[in-house]
Amino acid sequence: MKRLITFCIISFGMLTASMAAEKHPADYVNPFVGTTNFGTTNPGAVCPNGMMSVVPFNVMGSEDNKYDKDARWWSTPYEYHNCFFTGYSHVNLSGVGCPELGSLLLMPTTGELSVDYKEYGSRYKDEQASPGYYSNFLTRYNVKTEVTATPRTGVARFTFPAGQSHVLLNLGEGLTNESGAFLRQTGKCEFEGMKLLGTFCYNPQAVFPIYFVMRVNKQPAASGYWKKQRPMTGVEAEWDPDNGRYKLYTRYQKELAGDDIGAYLTFDTEEGEQVEVQMGVSFVSMENARLNLDTEQQGKNFGQVLEEARRRWNDDLSRILVEGGTEEQKTVFYTALYHTLIHPNILQDVNGEYPAMESDKILTTQGDRYTVFSLWDTYRNVHQLLTLVYPERQLQMVRSMLDMYREHGWLPKWELYGRETLTMEGDPSIPVIVDTWLKGLRDFDIELAYEAMRKGATLPGAENLLRPDNDDYVSLGYVPLREQYDNSVSHALEYYIADNALSRIAAALGKKEDARLFHERSLGYKHYYCKEYGTFRPILPNGEFYAPFDPRQGENFEPNPGFHEGCAWNYTFYVPHDVKGLARLMGGKKPFVDKLQRVFDEGLYDPANEPDIAYAHLFSYFKGEEWRTQKELHRLLQKYFKNAPDGIPGNDDTGTMSAWAIFNMMGFYPDCPGEPAYTLSTPVFDKVTIKLDPKYWGRDQLVIETERPSAESLYIREMELGGKKLSRYRITHEELVQSGKLRFSLR
């Protein structure tokens, strides 16, 4: 009996150790992936699709920084190689290519008070980051900093040394081009205020306020405001040399407004004493910012908030479970899934209030109202991933898009916190809405959606916010080059894809004439094909091709007539809705395949440029050439996606690059936006289990299994779908989810 008890104790100990060693999906996430090589991600604290993110800010203020010193040139608050920390910014964008937000900078310091960010910044070490958490150690001040977040609020924990310590709130600096702000002290431990944000991608119309409430858990010994005094000709009194051009005000000053203002709190701290600073935000009012803070952090300390954030992430990431593969591949996969769940973000406060689209009205939603719709990027794959794995969120996003139409009269193009930035090309809401409905998520007003989509597709250009060159497009079937760098070819190719999707939904709704009209329009890409070069080529207003023409001009994002951020090779195969038709235009299967292979062999493929990210899948449209898809995807995944700061090939574009990796690592990809279908390829993992919502898909999981004779096995020998042999490499969404199991055997 004694021996049995001993055995049980030993066994239990082994089991406990095993359970402790077991890694959860959140454990595989490395938030530092994509923080250099222009990936523009950041390692800050955020909850899935949360309004709030708390991010280390290191892109300005020191000659020691490796890259540009002026933050307004940066589209991210953090760059991995930079070393000069000037605070934590609240509410940020991830993976974008234009500067915006990155404001409400919170900075701990010690010693003599300084409020000039060029002076008070610090080097740092011991960075750590995981979902919902970031920490570093400021070597100048011997202060450990930590941050975490709830959906609408953030909290920082600063561990100070003994002596005089400070917390600074800088409202003058950030990534936004706006600098106006308002600040008011409402108690010994609390400030409230507002900061102007806007002009994303230098659009002067896209300006909006963010409201905040900041609260500390320790009463300060002193507090007050500062305002930068700008030198003025003939007015010597404006200059304040004693405070480095910053005028300090005591806390008895009731409030302050203007550019370059801030607040300070000074504490007498003991060695190792921790001060927690809470920040609540709202895009509606200061009252709502306080309500968000009270609701989401009332009675909670830093550790409790962190635990909730981590649980949120692990729950969301656990909707896809992978087995097999290497530790590196699991890290790449779950980090990519993490990145796709940062945007879009909730916009409504805890009481449901949100700012209406392009309006000063405040409305109330019953569900989630989403914002940050980077649709030119995400219409390609992010929303398809959300539809499959997070359908309840995707439905709310479509409803949000339709509410924007109700409020503003237009579907979004690149919407940001209730403002339309009009960034990039095309009419990208259409493929998102069509794809969602055709896959079976139909709990939204499809007739209103069709009205909105048709409006953008048919209204004359002078009245058309989404298609300003619609007159030429409708009358000619293409958009001619009227200015040197008007991106005319890029515009038209996007319209063709949108019109193909519109044709599909029109047919599904029984609108036969519209279906025929938009289908015919979608084939206008043929106008641009130039046999002389074998690529698409801009067309002049007189109908002739543009000359002189170099199909490689535009590489490395140099300006290029007719094309946006790419060369002709990055766009020539960008006809996902008529691949076979494009092949016929090029002379048939062999010339098409040979030319497409040339793109990869000669380094003409640019993964950082979205129009060509589905190129590798096009081989699988032709029987006997599927192996090329499998080979190229394997190579591209290994080359461009790594567990490293440069592990994303350029801007992540609010999760678009990451979604590409997720799908292809699982073994299928939605290569034609607006068509409910996938192209199959070799999975990276031995088993993938996708947890499905039975409410939408009628079953609770989809399993993808791969029989791999060796680690080097790459090519597909045979496939089974739902237990039946499968000989084709494209399947519908319905076939995939209803099968329950997709099985690959490799050779």
Side-chain angles (χ1 to χ4, degrees):
M1 183 68 172
K2 190 173 181 180
R3 294 180 63 188
L4 177 60
I5 292 174
T6 303
F7 173 77
C8 290
I9 293 173
I10 294 172
S11 298
F12 178 76
M14 293 173 63
L15 176 63
T16 303
S18 175
M19 292 175 64
E22 181 184 354
K23 294 179 72 172
H24 299 283
D27 296 322
Y28 286 104
V29 175
N30 178 3
F32 291 105
V33 169
T35 55
T36 190
N37 189 38
F38 302 101
T40 66
T41 63
N42 64 70
V46 62
C47 286
N49 302 111
M51 177 190 297
M52 172 61 82
S53 57
V54 192
V55 175
F57 198 98
N58 73 358
V59 293
M60 68 178 184
S62 171
E63 295 301 319
D64 294 332
N65 277 347
K66 180 177 180 180
Y67 296 95
D68 293 340
K69 317 308 185 292
D70 185 351
R72 289 182 176 85
W73 289 101
W74 281 92
S75 57
T76 174
Y78 175 93
E79 209 289 331
Y80 182 77
H81 294 99
N82 281 348
C83 60
F84 196 74
F85 178 85
T86 52
Y88 284 105
S89 56
H90 295 76
V91 183
N92 303 268
L93 299 176
S94 174
V96 301
C98 288
E100 187 48 271
L101 283 75
S103 64
L104 311 183
L105 290 169
L106 195 65
M107 179 70 186
T109 67
T110 62
E112 183 180 354
L113 176 65
S114 171
V115 296
D116 185 342
Y117 72 90
K118 293 183 179 179
E119 295 178 0
Y120 66 57
S122 171
R123 288 178 173 271
Y124 55 92
K125 65 179 183 177
D126 298 337
E127 284 189 292
Q128 298 179 38
S130 60
Y133 177 79
Y134 172 87
S135 173
N136 66 20
F137 185 85
L138 305 185
T139 56
R140 176 178 177 179
Y141 301 115
N142 293 320
V143 173
K144 181 179 181 180
T145 81
E146 302 169 274
V147 291
T148 186
T150 73
R152 298 171 181 85
T153 74
V155 56
R157 182 166 66 187
F158 302 135
T159 304
F160 287 108
Q164 191 173 71
S165 302
H166 315 281
V167 171
L168 312 178
L169 175 62
N170 187 333
L171 301 184
E173 303 304 325
L175 300 182
T176 183
N177 288 301
E178 298 296 321
S179 59
F182 166 80
L183 187 59
R184 174 167 54 210
Q185 188 161 13
T186 53
K188 292 181 179 180
C189 297
E190 183 181 282
F191 284 85
E192 67 179 12
M194 178 274 293
K195 162 83 174 156
L196 278 179
L197 306 171
T199 66
F200 177 75
C201 277
Y202 313 106
N203 181 342
Q205 305 303 316
V207 178
F208 49 93
I210 185 172
Y211 302 93
F212 67 89
V213 169
M214 183 188 78
R215 190 179 293 159
V216 297
N217 69 342
K218 175 182 172 68
Q219 184 170 325
S223 60
Y225 310 90
W226 77 76
K227 179 177 175 60
K228 185 175 183 180
Q229 299 296 309
R230 301 176 184 273
M232 299 176 65
T233 304
V235 188
E236 296 297 332
E238 290 290 321
W239 182 260
D240 191 350
D242 294 334
N243 291 299
R245 293 176 60 194
Y246 285 82
K247 178 66 176 177
L248 297 180
Y249 301 87
T250 69
R251 66 182 177 86
Y252 300 107
Q253 176 88 10
K254 290 185 178 180
E255 57 191 38
L256 193 65
D259 296 337
D260 299 306
I261 65 174
Y264 66 89
L265 300 96
T266 297
F267 305 91
D268 294 321
T269 55
E270 298 178 0
E271 182 67 33
E273 184 173 357
Q274 294 182 328
V275 176
E276 294 189 8
V277 187
Q278 299 174 326
M279 183 79 74
V281 296
S282 165
F283 289 90
V284 172
S285 66
M286 288 180 281
E287 292 77 15
N288 277 15
R290 182 173 288 102
L291 179 62
N292 290 340
L293 185 57
D294 290 342
T295 302
E296 295 188 349
Q297 289 202 47
Q298 188 74 44
K300 300 174 185 176
N301 60 28
F302 184 93
Q304 292 168 315
V305 174
L306 173 58
E307 183 180 354
E308 289 183 6
R310 181 175 175 80
R311 184 170 62 249
R312 287 175 183 270
W313 275 115
N314 211 50
D315 287 348
D316 270 8
L317 296 172
S318 295
R319 292 205 194 182
I320 306 179
L321 300 176
V322 300
E323 300 174 40
T326 65
E327 292 293 289
E328 164 112 352
Q329 288 169 329
K330 289 177 181 176
T331 296
V332 168
F333 181 86
Y334 281 114
T335 302
L337 187 55
Y338 166 82
H339 282 142
T340 63
L341 293 173
I342 293 177
H343 299 300
N345 310 98
I346 56 170
L347 180 61
Q348 84 282 359
D349 297 321
V350 293
N351 60 7
E353 292 183 346
Y354 68 92
M357 184 72 178
E358 292 290 346
S359 170
D360 60 357
K361 294 180 180 178
I362 302 300
L363 302 178
T364 303
T365 180
Q366 297 304 311
D368 285 328
R369 169 62 176 247
Y370 283 94
T371 185
V372 189
F373 282 98
S374 175
L375 291 167
W376 182 84
D377 308 299
T378 59
Y379 89 85
R380 303 162 198 275
N381 53 32
V382 171
H383 288 283
Q384 290 86 328
L385 181 67
L386 295 173
T387 294
L388 177 64
V389 188
Y390 309 91
E392 75 289 350
R393 254 169 264 186
Q394 175 62 17
L395 263 176
Q396 280 299 123
M397 290 176 192
V398 171
R399 292 172 186 148
S400 296
M401 294 162 69
L402 294 183
D403 282 341
M404 292 174 192
Y405 174 70
R406 290 186 180 97
E407 297 158 13
H408 176 49
W410 295 96
L411 290 171
K413 188 170 189 172
W414 211 124
E415 177 272 347
L416 187 68
Y417 298 98
R419 295 294 181 264
E420 179 54 69
T421 70
L422 298 175
T423 303
M424 302 308 290
E425 279 82 38
D427 199 347
S429 286
I430 292 178
V432 172
I433 296 171
V434 171
D435 191 90
T436 303
W437 196 85
L438 290 179
K439 284 177 177 172
L441 302 187
R442 300 185 175 181
D443 190 13
F444 60 89
D445 190 340
I446 188 59
E447 289 297 337
L448 179 70
Y450 188 81
E451 172 193 305
M453 293 186 290
R454 196 179 193 282
K455 176 182 177 180
T458 58
L459 210 62
E463 309 168 38
N464 201 320
L465 191 69
L466 300 177
R467 303 191 189 194
D469 37 21
N470 209 33
D471 293 345
D472 283 335
Y473 177 75
V474 171
S475 63
L476 301 174
Y478 60 90
V479 179
L481 181 75
R482 294 190 179 277
E483 298 180 15
Q484 183 74 0
Y485 301 118
D486 63 4
N487 305 324
S488 55
V489 184
S490 300
H491 284 205
L493 292 175
E494 295 286 351
Y495 299 157
Y496 299 137
I497 292 171
D499 282 349
N500 172 71
L502 193 50
S503 172
R504 289 177 180 274
I505 195 66
L509 296 176
K511 305 177 188 295
K512 296 181 180 179
E513 290 187 10
D514 276 4
R516 184 165 50 251
L517 169 67
F518 294 120
H519 173 69
E520 290 174 357
R521 283 192 192 176
S522 74
L523 302 180
Y525 70 88
K526 298 174 184 178
H527 291 286
Y528 287 112
Y529 186 70
C530 173
K531 292 183 179 179
E532 179 183 356
Y533 290 92
T535 66
F536 289 155
R537 182 177 177 182
I539 303 174
L540 297 171
N542 63 8
E544 297 179 359
F545 281 123
Y546 167 81
F549 176 64
D550 176 3
R552 296 192 63 154
Q553 183 177 344
E555 292 179 326
N556 300 315
F557 292 87
E558 67 176 306
N560 184 19
F563 298 98
H564 193 177
E565 297 181 357
C567 69
W569 285 106
N570 302 135
Y571 282 90
T572 291
F573 293 89
Y574 187 36
V575 189
H577 57 287
D578 192 31
V579 177
K580 295 291 183 68
L582 179 62
R584 288 192 294 271
L585 197 62
M586 292 182 173
K589 169 183 172 180
K590 188 177 188 308
F592 178 93
V593 170
D594 289 347
K595 189 180 298 183
L596 183 58
Q597 187 62 57
R598 176 186 169 192
V599 170
F600 295 100
D601 293 346
E602 296 184 11
L604 300 170
Y605 172 81
D606 181 4
N609 190 54
E610 273 84 346
D612 65 7
I613 60 173
Y615 272 21
H617 304 87
L618 303 183
F619 293 116
S620 291
Y621 280 75
F622 302 94
K623 191 171 181 58
E625 304 295 341
E626 301 90 352
W627 65 273
R628 297 179 189 267
T629 295
Q630 298 154 32
K631 174 186 176 183
E632 293 300 338
L633 289 177
H634 175 75
R635 182 181 66 83
L636 295 174
L637 282 169
Q638 285 193 318
K639 180 177 180 179
Y640 292 113
F641 293 88
K642 298 169 288 186
N643 177 21
D646 63 349
I648 298 176
N651 290 171
D652 194 38
D653 287 329
T654 65
T656 302
M657 292 295 113
S658 291
W660 186 94
I662 292 165
F663 272 119
N664 287 307
M665 294 179 86
M666 292 193 297
F668 61 104
Y669 188 79
D671 51 79
C672 182
E675 179 182 349
Y678 306 98
T679 292
L680 305 179
S681 187
T682 309
V684 166
F685 303 105
D686 297 338
K687 185 177 181 180
V688 177
T689 302
I690 302 174
K691 297 179 182 179
L692 300 178
D693 190 333
K695 175 182 176 182
Y696 301 103
W697 306 130
R699 61 172 63 247
D700 61 2
Q701 69 176 22
L702 167 65
V703 177
I704 302 169
E705 293 182 344
T706 304
E707 179 188 336
R708 202 181 310 269
S710 71
E712 289 71 37
S713 298
L714 170 61
Y715 299 107
I716 297 171
R717 178 172 58 83
E718 62 181 23
M719 301 177 290
E720 290 182 0
L721 185 65
K724 297 180 180 179
K725 196 167 185 179
L726 181 68
S727 59
R728 51 195 164 86
Y729 285 80
R730 281 184 61 76
I731 59 175
T732 68
H733 173 81
E734 184 177 12
E735 287 177 318
L736 180 65
V737 297
Q738 293 306 314
S739 71
K741 180 176 286 189
L742 175 62
R743 183 174 176 81
F744 295 89
S745 295
L746 307 184
R747 56 181 169 85

